[in-house]
C-alpha cells in the first residue's frame, strides 16, 4: 500500500514487481533526449495517436482550457 504522496513515484512491471530505480532513470534520460517541446500559441490544435505517443506537459501558471476527444483509427488510404 502506498500513500497518496507516493503514487506518482511508483512504477511496476506487469507482474506487480517494482521497476528498479536504475531502469526508471534510464527511461527518463531517454525521454529527455528525444522529447519534442513547443511553445503553444493562441488557437493551436494538437492531434496525436494516444497509443503510439508518450506525452505529458511541463508545469505552468495561469489559466488554461483543455478540450479532448477520442476517435476510432482512420485509414490513411482510400479503399
Amino acid at each position: 500500500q502506498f500513500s497518496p504522496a507516493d503514487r506518482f513515484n511508483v512504477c511496476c512491471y506487469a507482474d506487480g514487481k517494482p521497476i528498479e530505480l536504475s531502469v526508471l532513470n534510464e527511461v527518463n534520460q531517454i525521454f529527455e533526449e528525444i522529447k519534442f517541446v513547443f511553445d503553444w500559441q493562441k488557437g493551436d490544435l494538437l492531434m496525436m495517436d494516444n497509443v503510439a505517443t508518450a506525452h505529458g506537459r511541463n508545469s505552468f501558471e495561469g489559466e488554461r482550457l483543455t478540450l479532448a476527444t477520442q476517435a476510432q483509427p482512420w485509414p490513411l488510404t482510400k479503399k
Side-chain angles (χ1 to χ4, degrees), residues 48-55:
M48 68 178 170
D49 182 335
N50 201 37
V51 174
T53 307
H55 56 87

Side-chain angles (χ1 to χ4, degrees), residues 2 8-28 31:
F2 300 104
F8 297 112
N9 298 317
V10 177
C11 294
C12 299
Y13 293 105
D15 64 2
K17 293 180 184 171
I19 299 175
E20 299 82 1
L21 184 58
S22 63
V23 174
L24 293 174
N25 287 337
E26 185 173 354
V27 169
N28 284 329
F31 275 144

Side-chain angles (χ1 to χ4, degrees), residues 71-78:
Q72 295 298 319
W74 188 264
L76 298 177
T77 59
K78 285 186 170 183

Side-chain angles (χ1 to χ4, degrees), residues 3-73:
S3 73
D6 292 332
R7 67 182 171 179
F8 297 112
N9 298 317
V10 177
C11 294
C12 299
Y13 293 105
D15 64 2
K17 293 180 184 171
I19 299 175
E20 299 82 1
L21 184 58
S22 63
V23 174
L24 293 174
N25 287 337
E26 185 173 354
V27 169
N28 284 329
Q29 173 75 31
I30 292 168
F31 275 144
E32 281 298 315
E33 292 172 7
I34 65 172
K35 73 180 176 181
F36 175 77
V37 180
F38 59 97
D39 186 23
W40 286 90
Q41 302 296 316
K42 185 175 181 175
D44 281 352
L45 171 72
L46 173 66
M47 295 177 69
M48 68 178 170
D49 182 335
N50 201 37
V51 174
T53 307
H55 56 87
R57 67 169 179 82
N58 294 326
S59 61
F60 65 96
E61 292 184 16
E63 293 184 32
R64 74 175 182 157
L65 173 65
T66 302
L67 304 173
T69 188
Q70 295 181 346
Q72 295 298 319

